[in-house]
Amino acid sequence: MRVSFRAKILLALVGTVVLLVGTSLLAIRNQVRTQVDVLVDETVSRAARVFSELELLRAQELERLGLRFTRSVRVRAGMETALADDDPEYLAGQVDFELGLAGYPPGLLVFRDIDGVPLVRILDGSIHLTELGAVDPTEADDCAYEAPSTRYLLHDGLLFTVQRCLITFFDEPLGTVTLGFPLDDEVARQLGEVAGAEVCVRVEGRCVAGTAGLNDSAANERMGIPDGEEIQIGGVRHAVVSRPLADAPSGAALVLAVPLEGILGPFDRIRRAERIAGGVALFVALLLGILLSRGLAEPVRTLVRATDRVRKGEYDFTVEVKSRDEMGDLADAFNGMLADLALKERYRGVLDKVVSKDVAEEMLKGEIRLGGETRRVTTLFADLRGFTSLTEGLESQEVIGMLNEWFDRAAEAVEGEGGVVDKFLGDGLMAIFGAPIPQDDHALRAIQAAVAMRDGTAELNAERRARGEAPIEVGIGLATGDVVAGNSGSRNRLNYTVLGETVNLAARLCGEAGGGEVLASEETFQAARASDPAIPAEETSPRRLKGLSYEVRPWRVLGGALSTAVGIAIVGCTAALLTFTTPDGASGQGIRIDPPTLADLDIGYISPSGFLQIHPSGRFELEFFAPGDEEPWLIAETDPFLAGRMRLFVDTFVGDRIFGSVELRADRGEAPGASDLEARIQQAFLRVALARSFDLHIQAGKFITPFGSYPSRARSSTDPFLRPPLHYDYRTMACAGIAPGNVNGFLTWKDRPDEFRAKGAPVIWDTPYPTGILLGGSTPLGSGAAHLTAQVAMVNSAPSAEPWLWDPDFSRNQTPSWIANVGVQLRPELHLGLSYNRGSWLKPAVEGLDPGSPGTPAPGSGSRAGWEIGDYEQELLAVDGTLTRGMFLMRGEVVFDRWEVPNVVQDVKDLSWAVEGRLRTQGGAWLGLRYGQIHFNELTDSEGRSEAWDYNVSRLQVAAGYRISRNLDVRAEAMFNRIAEGPREGGSLLSARLGWTF
């Protein structure tokens, strides 16, 4: 269309006027917008500052409360019981009691195990129990413990400021406790008053907490508007600004609505002028549009009519192209679209008749002949056993639900091996391997799919038993051979399937298979074994199947890839431990023995205010020992004997800063034996917290030594071992009560074990309880998950000292030992420790020690003449680590030891180490394996010959334990020592223990 010169001039004038007016309005708008931005920035900055201060105060309060729960003896005991016995009710009772003492305000409190599974949840003061394994999907991001920092959590429609704290039990992570305060309307109101704006906390597009102006339904609908946009609140214009909340659910933000009336009033007059100018411009545009539309309307109408025909499903026409301009290009593009739609519709008619995606893809490639073709495939039939009796009395919806559950797992097993589900047959299915996509190993794939289907059915049965529903059984048949593969059916509905004798054989084998049985034809097994010779299967007796004129000898598939010796051993041990708790083998409920504890009987004292609390508890252990022909040293017996041990604990809390504990023990000695019964105070100490906001305490009395990784966890309820690692109870040739005449004599001691071994000192005594004073504390490291624990102690005996030296005796002039211990929890599953000890290790009187006369060389001069008993020191350095992965734990420790031996100027050293693995099963059983060694250095005798001062020794320990109930357990251990090249083999020990915690 041609435009006249007059029209061009008119367009130029109108454009110039519109440009001038628009530029002027834009300048004024920018000036006002600058003022608005300044106001908004000041408001946002003020609100952010106040909000940060508020969250800091909340974080400090959460940290204080978290320390109370992580340090609580009751909570840790309840946590350990809940994990071991699937008994969250006991933990709930302990938490409820602690809440009453803490005065915890209404909010959120969640206890989880180390895998993130919630055990106990408290919301607004109400306790909710959650079965193990039921993870709340709304809290999936909060299940893993990442750092002890403050973050946000959306729960039950409210946003909480939360903080997680790690709960440990003897350096082993038990789980986490999440504490939270709600970010509610009251917080938003206070923030709005200070900021001078309407406030809202927005999560998932809605306001979960806010002031009155932003907390109504109409305002919630506008929560998604962009920053800087204006909204009306109570007839007043406001600018909306949002700032995302760090460590909060995706999309969570703090929204502010800043009032703008003070700035936008003058701008209203400019806006009215803008409307008038816009009206004039609109009129001119309409006039010009009418003139220009005449040349554009007809082609557009043609395309609209064509679009209507496409909407009705017509694709076999074209649009006439009348010009070569943009409208002509649009018509060409429309015609191309029509051709594509027509082709797609033809494909869709074919695809609608195909069930499998693989089949559809092959058909689109044109590689499937509709008339059928000969293929070599493996056919699988699976069918539920006893389906009629199983569904008797069930509603139709329940039957469909059960089938769909099983079909999901069965189809997943088939598709996971590249097979095709041909069809679902009532309560069974038919699957094909090797067609329509050829597969060289289709027989192996079919067998693996059958095993996966059987395993999936077993997993489904575990879920059904947990719901109180009857289990289901499946029989599976497999056959390999030539079939006719192709599309069959009616004109309007086709189905890709296979037909032939092989298919019939697979169906007959399926009918022959019992519940949980997989039967494969001879040809299937041989073809699969050609791909994988290690397939576990056994040949069955010949049988004649219905509809077949010949006998077949099917193979029974026994298992999958886990059927190795190690897997069988683990499963066998676990099954043996769990058998007596599930005598019927079906219900899974078992026999529960649950004797009461002193807490259950309300034995104890708590003052009305909770300021003074006294909690008694105890443990009884009955142990049986069967040593070998040679004694394992700390156990100085070689005949079987029975030993009992009674331990009574009294824990006292005075406020939240003073804690005292006393342990009374009755047994047959520190080292088990057949001696007389004795009673004693095993430990008694007082601990005072020096700070409320973080862990710093001082402790004095008789307590477990902080050196090494074993003493702090000895006899814990999660440890299946009965005896400690080798270097904690093997007597070396370093004797604390006898001084050798010289190095030559010292080197002969190892060849006279009956005379000197029983008098030797172990590297570390089993579990030392020295008397002394300790300063300890813990603190987070940065903002990550790392946590540091440190202890420094001065005690009256070395870790190798015998029990009678642990008690306080002011009549003896004992030189103290200094102990330092540092532990770092790098992650919840990884803990590293470092320990150091230095102090006198000899007894108060040493046979053969002559300190000499005054004037003899002093310590440090290169000679040990003139040294006193307290001058001979033992120096120890230990490094330990613990790694937890779900139910598996691995631990290792290395100890370097240096002795200063009388009359032996050279350093007497040894290096010991031990590694162990522990597996905890869902049924409450433990399996453990530990191996350790001690290596001794060489000394030079008077003739210049080098010789080790003791024989290297190693120890293997195999242990198993089972928790019968929350406070009743049984465990057994086989221990084997081996002394390299020594005059004795080293000794073995079989032991068992029944323990009751009360």
Side-chain angles (χ1 to χ4, degrees):
M1 181 183 65
R2 298 179 61 186
V3 181
S4 65
F5 180 74
R6 182 179 299 174
K8 293 178 181 179
I9 295 296
L10 179 60
L11 288 174
L13 290 175
V14 171
T16 301
V17 172
V18 171
L19 180 61
L20 291 175
V21 173
T23 302
S24 176
L25 292 175
L26 182 61
I28 297 174
R29 179 189 289 271
N30 288 339
Q31 182 178 3
V32 175
R33 180 51 58 188
T34 299
Q35 298 179 14
V36 170
D37 291 343
V38 171
L39 174 63
V40 171
D41 290 343
E42 291 178 350
T43 304
V44 172
S45 177
R46 185 164 56 250
R49 184 171 62 256
V50 174
F51 189 74
S52 298
E53 294 174 355
L54 173 64
E55 291 305 285
L56 179 60
L57 293 175
R58 286 181 159 220
Q60 293 174 347
E61 180 64 14
L62 287 174
E63 184 177 0
R64 185 187 69 81
L65 291 172
L67 288 175
R68 183 177 191 96
F69 286 105
T70 55
R71 295 178 187 173
S72 170
V73 177
R74 289 183 298 272
V75 170
R76 283 183 290 179
M79 192 84 169
E80 196 274 336
T81 299
L83 293 174
D85 299 335
D86 297 347
D87 184 15
E89 293 186 5
Y90 184 74
L91 172 59
Q94 302 303 318
V95 173
D96 186 41
F97 180 82
E98 197 68 42
L99 283 175
L101 300 180
Y104 185 76
L108 179 66
L109 184 66
V110 181
F111 286 83
R112 293 187 175 89
D113 66 10
I114 198 62
D115 296 321
V117 178
L119 305 174
V120 174
R121 179 184 289 105
I122 299 175
L123 182 62
D124 292 335
S126 299
I127 296 180
H128 307 276
L129 297 182
T130 305
E131 293 184 0
L132 293 175
V135 179
D136 188 346
T138 63
E139 301 177 20
D141 294 337
D142 191 53
C143 285
Y145 176 83
E146 297 171 354
S149 59
T150 305
R151 56 172 295 180
Y152 297 94
L153 169 68
L154 183 64
H155 181 86
D156 200 23
L158 289 177
L159 190 66
F160 288 84
T161 306
V162 298
Q163 190 174 102
R164 284 186 305 277
C165 302
L166 182 66
I167 300 177
T168 60
F169 185 68
F170 298 114
D171 294 333
E172 295 184 23
L174 290 178
T176 61
V177 55
T178 302
L179 308 98
F181 292 137
L183 202 60
D184 52 15
D185 293 343
E186 179 60 23
V187 175
R189 184 190 63 78
Q190 295 176 2
L191 184 60
E193 290 179 355
V194 178
E198 298 285 347
V199 177
C200 167
V201 179
R202 181 184 66 196
V203 182
E204 297 180 352
R206 65 186 184 86
C207 184
V208 298
T211 55
L214 285 180
N215 205 11
D216 62 326
S217 58
N220 274 324
E221 295 176 358
R222 300 192 295 269
M223 280 296 97
I225 65 175
D227 279 9
E229 293 293 326
E230 297 178 10
I231 62 174
Q232 292 282 339
I233 300 177
V236 179
R237 287 169 290 184
H238 289 69
V240 176
V241 182
S242 65
R243 294 292 182 267
L245 294 178
D247 296 324
S250 177
L254 181 66
V255 181
L256 301 175
V258 183
L260 302 177
E261 283 301 320
I263 295 177
L264 295 182
F267 187 62
D268 288 342
R269 294 188 295 271
I270 300 175
R271 188 182 298 274
R272 284 193 293 270
E274 186 181 24
R275 291 195 186 99
I276 295 174
V280 174
L282 178 61
F283 175 75
V284 174
L286 289 174
L287 181 61
L288 293 177
I290 292 173
L291 298 175
L292 295 174
S293 65
R294 292 181 180 179
L296 299 173
E298 185 56 33
V300 172
R301 292 193 185 97
T302 302
L303 289 175
V304 169
R305 289 193 294 269
T307 303
D308 290 337
R309 296 180 63 183
V310 172
R311 187 183 297 113
K312 296 176 182 178
E314 300 180 28
Y315 306 115
D316 55 348
F317 69 95
T318 58
V319 174
E320 183 180 358
V321 181
K322 295 182 178 180
S323 63
R324 295 292 93 193
D325 55 7
E326 288 78 0
M327 294 304 300
D329 293 341
L330 180 60
D332 283 336
F334 192 88
N335 289 334
M337 181 193 70
L338 286 174
D340 292 342
L341 289 174
L343 180 61
K344 185 177 181 180
E345 186 66 18
R346 287 195 294 272
Y347 286 163
R348 182 179 299 166
V350 177
L351 294 176
D352 284 344
K353 301 179 179 69
V354 178
V355 175
S356 170
K357 182 176 70 173
D358 293 333
V359 175
E361 291 176 355
E362 292 296 304
M363 294 184 70
L364 289 175
K365 293 186 215 176
E367 297 182 6
I368 293 181
R369 286 188 260 165
L370 299 180
E373 57 183 336
T374 301
R375 288 281 189 97
R376 187 167 186 80
V377 303
T378 299
T379 307
L380 179 150
F381 277 86
D383 186 74
L384 295 181
R385 295 293 174 257
F387 182 74
T388 302
S389 60
L390 182 66
T391 58
E392 184 177 356
L394 296 181
E395 297 289 340
S396 57
Q397 295 86 346
E398 295 177 314
V399 175
I400 294 298
M402 178 186 68
L403 286 176
N404 288 341
E405 273 191 317
W406 180 73
F407 281 145
D408 284 342
R409 286 169 168 80
E412 182 179 356
V414 171
E415 294 169 359
E417 295 297 333
V420 173
V421 177
D422 180 275
K423 59 178 68 70
F424 294 102
L425 307 166
D427 58 342
L429 62 81
M430 169 185 172
I432 310 168
F433 296 82
I437 301 176
Q439 297 165 330
D440 295 336
D441 57 345
H442 53 81
L444 177 61
R445 290 172 178 264
I447 287 180
Q448 291 174 340
V451 172
M453 191 181 302
R454 182 178 60 189
D455 295 343
T457 304
E459 294 175 0
L460 175 61
N461 284 335
E463 298 176 9
R464 291 179 60 82
R465 289 189 180 99
R467 298 195 300 257
E469 300 172 353
I472 60 177
E473 296 290 347
V474 59
I476 304 174
L478 303 165
T480 301
D482 293 333
V483 298
V484 176
N487 286 296
S488 64
S490 66
R491 249 181 344 182
N492 297 323
R493 185 69 179 181
L494 299 177
N495 180 49
Y496 184 84
T497 188
V498 294
L499 301 172
E501 182 181 352
T502 298
V503 180
N504 297 333
L505 176 57
R508 295 294 181 265
L509 289 175
C510 175
E512 189 75 9
E517 191 175 24
V518 178
L519 294 180
S521 68
E522 173 75 22
E523 194 164 359
T524 300
F525 174 72
Q526 297 300 337
R529 190 167 63 176
S531 302
D532 183 4
I535 293 178
E538 61 180 8
E539 190 175 15
T540 64
S541 59
R543 65 190 74 184
R544 185 178 297 276
L545 303 180
K546 181 180 179 181
L548 299 180
S549 60
Y550 54 89
E551 288 187 341
V552 296
R553 186 187 295 268
W555 288 76
R556 181 182 295 109
V557 180
L558 300 178
L562 289 178
S563 57
T564 63
V566 174
I568 292 174
I570 293 176
V571 173
C573 291
T574 304
L577 288 169
L578 300 180
T579 298
F580 72 94
T581 64
T582 54
D584 296 330
S587 65
Q589 300 299 317
I591 301 173
R592 301 292 293 180
I593 304 174
D594 196 10
T597 65
L598 298 182
D600 296 335
L601 301 176
D602 293 328
I603 298 177
Y605 173 76
I606 301 176
S607 65
S609 63
F611 182 77
L612 176 63
Q613 304 177 42
I614 301 176
H615 299 284
S617 61
R619 180 170 174 83
F620 172 74
E621 295 173 343
L622 186 62
E623 299 176 321
F624 172 76
F625 296 94
D629 295 335
E630 298 179 355
E631 63 187 39
W633 304 118
L634 275 191
I635 297 182
E637 303 283 344
T638 56
D639 295 323
F641 65 94
L642 194 65
R645 176 181 287 107
M646 176 69 76
R647 307 161 70 191
L648 179 63
F649 303 89
V650 180
D651 297 328
T652 304
F653 300 84
V654 181
D656 57 358
R657 304 187 66 172
I658 299 177
F659 168 71
S661 181
V662 176
E663 178 187 353
L664 306 176
R665 185 177 295 188
D667 55 26
R668 291 184 169 181
E670 289 286 348
S675 57
D676 296 332
L677 188 68
E678 62 179 47
R680 63 189 177 277
I681 299 178
Q682 186 68 20
Q683 61 177 327
F685 63 87
L686 184 68
R687 180 185 301 161
V688 178
L690 302 180
R692 292 179 181 272
S693 58
F694 60 95
D695 182 16
L696 180 63
H697 60 270
I698 187 170
Q699 178 174 304
K702 190 169 182 281
F703 49 81
I704 298 177
T705 180
F707 183 87
S709 67
Y710 176 76
S712 62
R713 61 182 173 86
R715 297 184 179 274
S716 68
S717 58
T718 60
D719 190 350
F721 297 98
L722 273 69
R723 299 304 301 157
L726 177 65
H727 49 280
Y728 284 88
D729 77 350
Y730 180 77
R731 293 185 181 272
T732 70
M733 283 302 164
C735 293
I738 304 177
N742 51 45
V743 65
N744 290 0
F746 181 62
L747 289 174
T748 66
W749 284 9
K750 62 181 181 293
D751 294 319
R752 293 181 286 170
D754 294 336
E755 181 179 356
F756 290 101
R757 181 73 69 187
K759 302 175 183 178
V763 177
I764 309 168
W765 186 272
D766 184 342
T767 308
Y769 289 84
T771 303
I773 186 169
L774 177 146
L775 178 66
S778 62
T779 181
L781 292 179
S783 58
H787 199 79
L788 174 69
T789 302
Q791 296 174 310
V792 178
M794 182 184 71
V795 296
N796 68 341
S797 61
S800 64
E802 295 190 19
W804 65 275
L805 293 171
W806 301 341
D807 296 327
D809 189 345
F810 301 102
S811 65
R812 295 196 302 259
N813 185 18
Q814 289 183 273
T815 302
S817 285
W818 293 90
I819 300 175
N821 178 282
V822 177
V824 180
Q825 193 84 33
L826 295 176
R827 296 176 60 84
E829 62 271 17
L830 179 61
H831 179 274
L832 299 178
L834 178 66
S835 301
Y836 177 78
N837 175 86
R838 186 181 181 93
S840 174
W841 66 283
L842 295 179
K843 295 179 180 180
V846 179
E847 179 183 343
L849 177 63
D850 182 8
S853 60
T856 55
S861 63
S863 172
R864 292 176 180 167
W867 281 26
E868 302 290 342
I869 290 178
D871 297 330
Y872 292 93
E873 294 183 331
Q874 179 189 16
E875 185 177 32
L876 291 140
L877 179 66
V879 179
D880 65 88
T882 303
L883 178 64
T884 305
R885 278 287 186 269
M887 296 186 179
F888 181 75
L889 179 143
M890 177 171 287
R891 179 183 283 111
E893 183 177 38
V894 179
V895 178
F896 169 78
D897 183 18
R898 185 180 68 86
W899 312 79
E900 293 177 342
V901 178
N903 301 324
V904 179
V905 178
Q906 304 169 53
D907 284 340
V908 178
K909 304 175 184 177
D910 55 74
L911 181 69
S912 55
W913 59 270
V915 293
E916 66 181 70
R918 188 197 72 196
L919 177 66
R920 177 171 64 89
T921 69
Q922 288 283 9
W926 297 275
L927 302 174
L929 183 67
R930 178 192 289 155
Y931 182 77
Q933 290 185 351
I934 307 179
H935 302 270
F936 302 92
N937 76 317
E938 294 184 346
L939 303 178
T940 303
D941 63 13
S942 60
E943 298 179 1
R945 293 174 300 194
S946 295
E947 184 180 346
W949 64 276
D950 203 347
Y951 292 111
N952 294 340
V953 61
S954 60
R955 171 177 292 180
L956 175 66
Q957 295 168 261
V958 182
Y962 182 72
R963 181 184 287 270
I964 302 173
S965 66
R966 63 188 173 99
N967 59 346
L968 192 64
D969 59 82
V970 62
R971 59 199 71 194
E973 178 187 288
M975 182 182 78
F976 307 94
N977 292 338
R978 181 178 181 274
I979 300 178
E981 303 177 357
R984 303 184 65 172
E985 294 181 358
S988 62
L989 178 69
L990 301 179
S991 51
R993 177 195 299 160
L994 176 66
W996 169 37
T997 302
F998 57 87

